[in-house]
């Protein structure tokens, strides 16, 4: 594999289960070099540094600097304890270990949010009736970016006078707010298991299992020892009504939480839905329950009905967003100049 960029940037998208790598060429209109993407299982390596060395060995590539998008809170821009895996990463220690010029740590949903300006129309699918958002509609725009995978990520994109910045958050760990009688029954059961119940306890891979078990208990049925993959497979095939109900319920709760985030962040310009679980959930989101509960915000229901929700279909939005950050770090414009 050979790339002609003189100063590539190593990109990493580090989640609870997998870490993905690629290179960026900030001089290209599409800076993420798609042919350089590789994925590794976190559990197969002791440290992130070991995984990076393996990536360089496997591809024959190298880079003098790195941008690491990590699923966790970045403390002082320097360290992160990954939320759903055992790794801890310190930027300066990683830089010294690998002999790099620089290492930058960012929250994974800061990267997901920065991907939005680089997304092409073929990477987007509207969920519900409002049309796709436009980033040039006005000078001041605020978008919510969120999605389920191993956990639930939440971020925001601010566009102000042609410049983009991100809101980094751990909104997936905000407390779950029950909106229906069934929600209350689900919350009661999960509260008995976990104490405090966050949105992430319901909207992620393991959230499918938590919901399935709670709904089985509510229905007085015996829960099977299903994995998240079992639940979505049975739901898709229509072979287990309780699995169907589980995925429908998750889609509705997902809509409620997305709508709450619009109200909280003022994300009136749209919500970008992403995350590793999204491709499996998307057909269920399109069936109506997601938008119904997204819009069901009392006195703001008419306003919410006009807020676009859009699924991100790009296969590597975390790496794409890290590439966008590399472009900005190099002093290049991310958005076309007016």
């Amino acid at each position: 594999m050979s790339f002609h960029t003189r100063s590539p940037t190593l990109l990493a998208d580090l989640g609870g289960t997998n870490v993905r790598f690629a290179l960026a060429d900030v001089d290209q209109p599409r800076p993420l070099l798609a042919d350089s993407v590789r994925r590794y299982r976190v559990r197969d390596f002791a440290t992130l540094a070991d995984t990076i060395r393996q990536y360089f060995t496997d591809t024959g590539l190298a880079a003098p600097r790195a941008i690491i998008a990590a699923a966790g809170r970045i403390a002082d821009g320097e360290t992160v304890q990954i939320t759903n895996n055992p790794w801890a990463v310190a930027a300066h220690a990683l830089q010294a270990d690998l002999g790099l010029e620089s290492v930058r740590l960012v929250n994974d949903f800061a990267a997901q949010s920065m991907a939005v300006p680089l997304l092409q129309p073929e990477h987007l699918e509207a969920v519900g009736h409002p049309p796709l958002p436009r980033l040039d509609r006005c000078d001041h725009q605020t978008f919510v970016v969120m999605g389920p995978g191993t956990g639930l990520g939440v971020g925001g994109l601010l566009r102000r006078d042609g410049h983009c910045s991100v809101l980094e958050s751990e909104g997936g760990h905000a407390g779950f707010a029950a909106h229906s009688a069934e929600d209350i029954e689900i919350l009661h059961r999960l509260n008995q298991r976990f104490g405090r119940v966050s949105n992430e306890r319901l909207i992620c891979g393991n959230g499918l299992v938590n919901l399935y078990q709670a709904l089985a208990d509510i229905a007085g049925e015996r829960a099977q020892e299903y994995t998240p993959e079992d639940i979505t497979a049975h739901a898709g095939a229509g072979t287990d009504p309780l699995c169907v109900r589980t995925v429908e319920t998750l889609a509705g709760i997902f809509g409620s939480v997305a709508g709450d985030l619009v109200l909280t962040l003022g994300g009136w310009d749209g919500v970008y839905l992403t995350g590793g679980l999204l491709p499996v959930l998307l057909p269920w989101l399109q069936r109506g329950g997601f938008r119904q509960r997204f819009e069901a915000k009392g006195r703001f229901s008419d306003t919410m009905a006009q807020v676009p929700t859009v699924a991100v279909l790009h296969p590597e939005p975390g790496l794409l967003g890290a590439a966008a950050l590399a472009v900005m770090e190099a002093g290049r414009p991310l958005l076309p100049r007016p």
Side-chain angles (χ1 to χ4, degrees):
M1 187 182 300
S2 175
F3 294 102
H4 300 295
T5 176
R6 289 176 294 176
S7 185
T9 301
L10 173 68
L11 312 174
D13 181 14
L14 174 55
T17 304
N18 299 301
V19 57
R20 295 169 171 84
F21 297 111
L23 292 187
D25 181 352
V26 300
D27 295 319
Q28 298 299 319
R30 296 194 179 188
L32 175 62
L33 302 176
D35 288 347
S36 68
V37 176
R38 297 289 186 277
R39 185 185 73 170
Y40 298 86
R41 300 279 290 183
V42 166
R43 68 186 183 191
D44 294 337
F45 297 87
T47 67
L48 177 60
D50 291 340
T51 322
I52 292 172
R53 290 189 187 95
Q54 189 64 54
Y55 171 74
F56 285 154
T57 297
D58 290 345
T59 61
L61 302 173
R65 64 189 62 83
I67 295 177
I68 313 295
R73 180 179 176 272
I74 311 300
D76 301 320
E78 168 63 21
T79 61
V80 59
Q81 172 63 58
I82 310 306
T83 303
N84 289 299
N85 84 38
W87 288 356
V89 179
H92 280 91
L94 184 64
Q95 178 180 332
D97 193 1
L98 295 172
L100 300 177
E101 294 175 8
S102 67
V103 171
R104 179 182 176 188
L105 291 178
V106 298
N107 175 266
D108 62 332
F109 265 75
Q112 297 260 8
S113 300
M114 287 306 305
V116 168
L118 295 182
L119 291 168
Q120 303 299 313
E122 64 266 24
H123 299 145
L124 304 172
E125 179 179 324
V127 178
H129 60 85
L132 295 174
R134 287 178 47 191
L135 263 68
D136 60 352
R137 189 179 59 81
C138 61
D139 288 337
H140 287 63
Q141 293 176 294
T142 302
F143 301 93
V144 173
V145 183
M146 65 177 303
T150 304
L152 175 64
V154 174
L157 176 69
L158 305 180
R159 182 177 174 273
R160 300 290 186 268
D161 300 319
H163 298 282
C164 290
S165 59
V166 296
L167 292 172
E168 299 187 34
S169 91
E170 290 297 331
H173 297 279
F176 170 60
H179 290 277
S180 68
E182 183 178 70
D183 285 358
I184 292 169
E185 292 296 324
I186 292 168
L187 177 59
H188 173 67
R189 285 157 175 81
L190 295 187
N191 184 260
Q192 289 180 322
R193 287 181 59 191
F194 299 113
R196 180 181 182 274
V197 179
S198 68
N199 291 323
E200 186 172 274
R201 292 291 189 189
L202 296 94
I203 310 172
C204 69
N206 285 333
L208 280 164
V209 177
N210 294 336
L211 275 172
Y212 170 78
Q213 292 173 345
L215 291 170
D217 190 59
I218 292 169
E221 298 182 17
R222 179 177 173 273
Q224 303 298 315
E225 296 294 325
Y226 284 157
T227 65
E229 294 78 10
D230 293 333
I231 293 168
T232 54
H234 282 295
T239 52
D240 187 325
L242 189 57
C243 290
V244 172
R245 181 64 188 141
T246 297
V247 183
E248 289 175 340
T249 300
L250 188 147
I253 291 173
F254 191 5
S256 286
V257 173
D260 287 345
L261 285 166
V262 169
L263 297 175
T264 301
L265 300 180
W268 310 114
D269 295 289
V271 179
Y272 287 86
L273 307 172
T274 182
L277 195 57
L278 185 71
V280 177
L281 289 180
L282 185 54
W284 302 89
L285 303 184
Q286 294 286 22
R287 295 185 183 190
F290 174 88
R291 279 297 306 194
Q292 181 180 19
R293 290 192 55 165
F294 177 84
E295 297 175 14
K297 299 301 178 188
R299 288 169 288 180
F300 274 84
S301 293
D302 289 345
T303 302
M304 295 298 293
Q306 306 306 312
V307 177
T309 49
V310 53
V312 175
L313 307 180
H314 192 283
E316 301 293 350
L319 291 175
L320 185 68
L325 289 166
V327 170
M328 295 178 67
E329 199 170 72
R332 271 61 164 185
L334 188 59
L335 295 170
R337 296 191 185 279

